[in-house]
Amino acid sequence: MKKFVLGLICGIGLTATTAVYASDMIQAYLFPVKYELNGQTKQLDSSYTTLNYNGHVYVPVRFVAESLGVGIRYIDKDKVISIMNEPTNIDEFAKKVWLIHFRLNIGNDQKYVKELIGEPVVERTNEDNQQAVWRYDYMSTQGYQYGNLSNIDLEGLGQGKIRGQLLINWSNEGKLEKIEFWYTSSVTDVDRKTYSYHLNQDGSTSEFMYE
């Protein structure tokens, strides 16, 4: 599966000299441009590239969105790039759900993730040839225990022992590699629905309701 690159077309005619192939079918040019957002200069880091193709500039939309303080995600099943302001007047758990969907991305480092969503409940380093994994438990009942770092506690979710559970897999370089997030619509048995969200290694996402 191809890695997804989020870009935005800006209608500005430009010239450049360094050619790169943006896909198997088009030829584009690297464009060394600076960014100024709301009067503030923003440095484009090495993980982003600005391209000129056919007289238009392709801007890294994730970089622009996050620099403006809004969330962004690619919804694979609908082929939609979703950009959203952080919601207000929601409870803490709903805010966590939004942050995981809109602010966690492939390549994030561990410092960024801890600043965003806090310390994990359980973590495993990549020693002894095991992949590093962090687990977050949300709204767990008193005395809740679950030792698995490979699978989500679906039984605990179904019994209302926990409202949400997040697994983050890390690369050997300490970069976010993929996530698996399961959560329920409520802590009570009445109309409780369980949802799953996956962010895959290639940047694609998958979501479904578990029944």
Side-chain angles (χ1 to χ4, degrees):
M1 186 178 292
K2 293 183 179 178
K3 186 174 182 178
F4 293 98
V5 180
L6 299 182
L8 177 67
I9 299 175
C10 296
I12 305 174
L14 295 168
T15 60
T17 57
T18 307
V20 297
Y21 288 93
S23 75
D24 294 336
M25 298 180 63
I26 65 171
Q27 186 178 27
Y29 297 89
L30 292 175
F31 182 65
V33 66
K34 296 180 180 179
Y35 287 85
E36 184 179 272
L37 301 171
N38 291 327
Q40 293 186 339
T41 300
K42 295 288 185 178
Q43 185 67 37
L44 194 69
D45 64 40
S46 59
S47 62
Y48 294 109
T49 301
T50 305
L51 300 176
N52 173 24
Y53 169 65
N54 197 27
H56 299 283
V57 177
Y58 284 73
V59 174
V61 67
R62 184 178 300 284
F63 167 78
V64 174
E66 292 179 349
S67 296
L68 292 173
V70 298
I72 183 169
R73 60 186 291 230
Y74 178 75
I75 305 173
D76 189 37
K77 65 183 179 65
D78 299 322
K79 300 296 184 289
V80 169
I81 296 171
S82 178
I83 301 173
M84 181 184 291
N85 289 318
E86 184 172 335
T88 58
N89 301 321
I90 59 175
D91 61 36
E92 284 300 311
F93 179 70
K95 183 176 180 180
K96 292 291 186 184
V97 172
W98 185 87
L99 290 172
I100 291 167
H101 280 79
F102 282 89
R103 290 283 176 83
L104 286 185
N105 302 300
I106 300 300
N108 290 152
D109 61 30
Q110 296 181 352
K111 179 182 178 182
Y112 170 84
V113 172
K114 285 186 176 181
E115 290 175 348
L116 186 74
I117 59 174
E119 296 283 341
V121 172
V122 183
E123 59 181 289
R124 181 179 71 203
T125 66
N126 57 4
E127 298 175 354
D128 301 323
N129 296 319
Q130 295 188 98
Q131 185 176 31
V133 180
W134 290 1
R135 197 187 81 215
Y136 290 81
D137 298 338
Y138 294 110
M139 297 182 66
S140 57
T141 57
Q142 186 175 4
Y144 173 78
Q145 292 184 343
Y146 182 68
N148 199 317
L149 277 169
S150 300
N151 298 296
I152 295 291
D153 184 11
L154 294 179
E155 182 177 350
L157 284 167
Q159 293 175 352
K161 295 180 179 180
I162 189 169
R163 180 78 185 274
Q165 196 164 71
L166 169 68
L167 293 176
I168 301 179
N169 291 81
W170 299 96
S171 69
N172 292 334
E173 294 74 31
K175 300 296 185 180
L176 192 153
E177 195 167 78
K178 65 178 180 179
I179 70 173
E180 181 178 0
F181 179 45
W182 291 70
Y183 57 101
T184 63
S185 57
S186 70
V187 294
T188 62
D189 290 332
V190 179
D191 296 326
R192 181 193 293 143
K193 296 180 176 61
T194 302
Y195 301 92
S196 173
Y197 170 73
H198 298 252
L199 176 61
N200 306 308
Q201 287 179 266
D202 63 358
S204 63
T205 62
S206 56
E207 298 177 73
F208 60 88
M209 185 173 69
Y210 179 78
E211 296 180 315

